[in-house]
Amino acid sequence: MGETFIQAGGSAQAMTVEARVMTSDGTARLFTVGRQEPVKGPPTTIWINDRAQVTVSSNEVFTAEEAAVVFLTFYLTDTVAQPYQLREFDLGVGG
């Protein structure tokens, strides 16, 4: 993999999108992508495969159609654009 990438896990109805992007200090970091809207309800668990899962907030759950827009923008610009927000992914926490 290169310095930056985008990936998704879950199902077409409920998936998480993660992107590794270059930050202002010149390092690449992994982030969970979310919509800029208030979090509603408890966290959601998304199964990546039979053994791996990740827990995300309601604004970080995408359908395949919603994620396609994020992927296309990333493909064209090598970054996650507005109106999305990034939350740094903690590799030490989660499923």
Side-chain angles (χ1 to χ4, degrees):
M1 279 190 260
E3 286 289 316
T4 63
F5 63 85
I6 191 166
Q7 63 187 10
S11 68
Q13 295 77 33
M15 65 176 58
T16 181
V17 177
E18 299 165 358
R20 183 173 168 170
V21 299
M22 296 301 288
T23 60
S24 60
D25 67 1
T27 60
R29 294 196 179 121
L30 184 62
F31 295 90
T32 298
V33 179
R35 290 179 299 285
Q36 291 185 9
E37 62 186 43
V39 173
K40 298 175 186 168
T44 300
T45 299
I46 295 184
W47 286 91
I48 306 303
N49 58 38
D50 292 351
R51 299 174 305 185
Q53 64 188 25
V54 64
T55 301
V56 295
S57 299
S58 62
N59 67 326
E60 298 170 338
V61 178
F62 291 86
T63 65
E65 285 183 48
E66 293 168 329
V69 174
V70 180
F71 272 74
L72 178 59
T73 301
F74 190 89
Y75 173 74
L76 295 172
T77 65
D78 206 29
T79 191
V80 177
Q82 297 292 330
Y84 302 100
Q85 62 188 17
L86 300 174
R87 175 178 60 84
E88 191 160 3
F89 190 85
D90 185 350
L91 294 172
V93 176

